[in-house]
Amino acid sequence: EYKLSPDGKKIAAVVRGEIFVLGADGGYARNITRSPWREKSVDWDKESRRLVYVSDAGANPDLYILQALGDGPPRRLTDSPGDENGPLFSPDGAWIAYYQGQRELRIIQPDGRGDRLLVQADFGNGRSDGLHGRID
Protein backbone atom coordinates (compact mmCIF):
# COMPACT_ATOMS: atom_id res chain seq x y z
CA GLU A 1 0.00 0.00 0.00
CA TYR A 2 1.28 3.51 -0.75
CA LYS A 3 0.01 7.09 -1.02
CA LEU A 4 1.61 10.16 -2.55
CA SER A 5 1.54 13.28 -0.36
CA PRO A 6 -0.54 16.27 -1.55
CA ASP A 7 2.63 18.33 -2.12
CA GLY A 8 4.03 15.56 -4.34
CA LYS A 9 7.30 15.41 -2.41
CA LYS A 10 6.76 12.33 -0.22
CA ILE A 11 5.32 8.84 -0.41
CA ALA A 12 3.87 6.96 2.55
CA ALA A 13 4.28 3.21 2.05
CA VAL A 14 3.12 0.33 4.22
CA VAL A 15 5.55 -2.57 4.08
CA ARG A 16 5.02 -5.63 6.28
CA GLY A 17 2.88 -3.62 8.67
CA GLU A 18 5.34 -0.72 9.05
CA ILE A 19 4.87 2.79 7.66
CA PHE A 20 7.75 4.29 5.73
CA VAL A 21 8.00 7.83 4.37
CA LEU A 22 10.11 8.10 1.23
CA GLY A 23 11.26 11.07 -0.77
CA ALA A 24 9.40 11.04 -4.10
CA ASP A 25 12.75 11.77 -5.75
CA GLY A 26 14.33 8.73 -4.06
CA GLY A 27 16.42 10.85 -1.68
CA TYR A 28 15.48 9.14 1.57
CA ALA A 29 13.41 6.41 3.23
CA ARG A 30 12.45 6.51 6.89
CA ASN A 31 10.55 3.97 9.00
CA ILE A 32 8.30 6.21 11.09
CA THR A 33 6.37 3.60 13.09
CA ARG A 34 8.92 1.01 14.25
CA SER A 35 6.38 -1.06 16.14
CA PRO A 36 5.57 -4.75 16.55
CA TRP A 37 1.96 -3.98 15.53
CA ARG A 38 0.41 -3.96 12.07
CA GLU A 39 -0.24 -0.57 10.52
CA LYS A 40 -2.30 0.05 7.37
CA SER A 41 -4.67 2.45 5.58
CA VAL A 42 -2.54 5.62 5.53
CA ASP A 43 -3.77 9.05 4.46
CA TRP A 44 -2.02 12.44 4.35
CA ASP A 45 -3.27 15.73 5.77
CA LYS A 46 -3.51 18.62 3.30
CA GLU A 47 -0.13 20.10 4.35
CA SER A 48 1.68 16.77 3.85
CA ARG A 49 2.87 16.95 7.47
CA ARG A 50 0.82 14.28 9.23
CA LEU A 51 -0.45 10.79 8.52
CA VAL A 52 -3.55 9.13 9.87
CA TYR A 53 -3.55 5.34 9.83
CA VAL A 54 -5.00 2.20 11.40
CA SER A 55 -2.99 0.11 13.87
CA ASP A 56 -3.89 -2.98 15.87
CA ALA A 57 -1.66 -1.89 18.77
CA GLY A 58 -4.65 -1.88 21.12
CA ALA A 59 -5.65 -5.46 20.22
CA ASN A 60 -8.24 -4.23 17.72
CA PRO A 61 -7.81 -1.72 14.90
CA ASP A 62 -7.94 1.95 16.00
CA LEU A 63 -6.97 5.25 14.37
CA TYR A 64 -3.64 6.91 15.08
CA ILE A 65 -2.03 10.12 13.84
CA LEU A 66 1.70 10.75 13.46
CA GLN A 67 4.03 13.43 12.16
CA ALA A 68 5.19 12.44 8.67
CA LEU A 69 8.85 12.67 9.64
CA GLY A 70 8.33 10.46 12.68
CA ASP A 71 8.92 13.33 15.13
CA GLY A 72 7.39 12.19 18.39
CA PRO A 73 5.21 9.22 19.20
CA PRO A 74 1.96 8.41 17.41
CA ARG A 75 -1.24 9.64 19.07
CA ARG A 76 -4.23 7.36 19.37
CA LEU A 77 -7.44 8.98 18.12
CA THR A 78 -9.99 6.22 18.77
CA ASP A 79 -10.39 3.54 21.41
CA SER A 80 -13.56 1.58 20.80
CA PRO A 81 -14.54 -2.09 20.87
CA GLY A 82 -15.36 -1.89 17.13
CA ASP A 83 -12.74 -2.05 14.41
CA GLU A 84 -11.86 1.24 12.72
CA ASN A 85 -10.86 1.25 9.07
CA GLY A 86 -10.29 3.42 6.00
CA PRO A 87 -9.45 6.86 7.43
CA LEU A 88 -9.56 9.77 5.00
CA PHE A 89 -8.81 13.45 5.71
CA SER A 90 -11.32 16.04 4.53
CA PRO A 91 -9.90 18.43 1.90
CA ASP A 92 -9.63 21.25 4.48
CA GLY A 93 -7.93 18.91 7.00
CA ALA A 94 -10.50 19.67 9.72
CA TRP A 95 -11.99 16.14 9.85
CA ILE A 96 -11.10 12.52 9.33
CA ALA A 97 -13.83 10.19 8.08
CA TYR A 98 -13.61 6.49 8.89
CA TYR A 99 -15.59 3.29 9.21
CA GLN A 100 -16.30 1.82 12.62
CA GLY A 101 -17.45 -1.77 12.81
CA GLN A 102 -19.74 -3.11 10.11
CA ARG A 103 -22.30 -0.33 9.88
CA GLU A 104 -21.00 3.09 10.90
CA LEU A 105 -19.41 5.93 8.97
CA ARG A 106 -17.99 8.42 11.47
CA ILE A 107 -15.91 11.61 11.56
CA ILE A 108 -13.37 12.81 14.09
CA GLN A 109 -11.11 15.85 14.32
CA PRO A 110 -7.35 15.27 13.97
CA ASP A 111 -6.88 16.10 17.66
CA GLY A 112 -9.27 13.28 18.64
CA ARG A 113 -12.21 15.52 19.54
CA GLY A 114 -15.65 15.72 17.99
CA ASP A 115 -16.05 12.02 17.16
CA ARG A 116 -19.56 11.54 15.80
CA LEU A 117 -21.70 9.22 13.74
CA LEU A 118 -22.56 10.40 10.21
CA VAL A 119 -24.35 7.42 8.70
CA GLN A 120 -25.44 4.03 9.92
CA ALA A 121 -26.04 1.60 7.05
CA ASP A 122 -24.92 -1.66 5.50
CA PHE A 123 -21.72 -0.81 3.64
CA GLY A 124 -21.06 -4.38 2.50
CA ASN A 125 -17.58 -5.58 1.71
CA GLY A 126 -16.55 -2.25 0.16
CA ARG A 127 -15.76 -0.81 3.59
CA SER A 128 -12.67 -2.99 3.90
CA ASP A 129 -11.09 -1.04 1.05
CA GLY A 130 -11.49 2.26 2.89
CA LEU A 131 -13.23 5.43 1.82
CA HIS A 132 -12.88 6.67 -1.71
CA GLY A 133 -13.37 10.06 -3.25
CA ARG A 134 -13.75 13.37 -1.48
CA ILE A 135 -15.23 14.35 1.81
CA ASP A 136 -16.44 17.94 1.78
Side-chain angles (χ1 to χ4, degrees), residues 13-72:
V14 179
V15 180
R16 295 186 177 190
E18 293 286 334
I19 299 174
F20 292 81
V21 172
L22 304 92
D25 62 359
Y28 63 91
R30 189 173 295 144
N31 180 341
I32 64 168
T33 50
R34 290 189 181 95
S35 79
W37 311 106
R38 290 176 300 167
E39 281 84 33
K40 64 179 184 171
S41 301
V42 296
D43 192 46
W44 290 94
D45 71 353
K46 71 177 189 165
E47 291 91 17
S48 304
R49 293 186 186 154
R50 297 177 295 174
L51 290 164
V52 64
Y53 63 95
V54 175
S55 175
D56 63 5
N60 70 300
D62 284 303
L63 299 186
Y64 289 77
I65 195 164
L66 178 65
Q67 295 295 316
L69 296 179
D71 305 346

Side-chain angles (χ1 to χ4, degrees), residues 49-129:
R49 293 186 186 154
R50 297 177 295 174
L51 290 164
V52 64
Y53 63 95
V54 175
S55 175
D56 63 5
N60 70 300
D62 284 303
L63 299 186
Y64 289 77
I65 195 164
L66 178 65
Q67 295 295 316
L69 296 179
D71 305 346
R75 192 176 57 206
R76 189 179 195 163
L77 299 179
T78 61
D79 187 6
S80 72
D83 292 354
E84 277 80 32
N85 198 16
L88 183 65
F89 273 99
S90 63
D92 65 1
W95 295 95
I96 299 166
Y98 68 97
Y99 291 113
Q100 184 178 77
Q102 297 287 330
R103 300 184 43 84
E104 293 185 2
L105 177 60
R106 304 184 67 87
I107 58 173
I108 190 169
Q109 294 171 335
D111 63 6
R113 294 184 295 153
D115 190 1
R116 67 180 192 225
L117 176 67
L118 281 184
V119 178
Q120 194 166 28
D122 183 4
F123 296 107
N125 290 334
R127 72 172 187 77
S128 64
D129 293 335

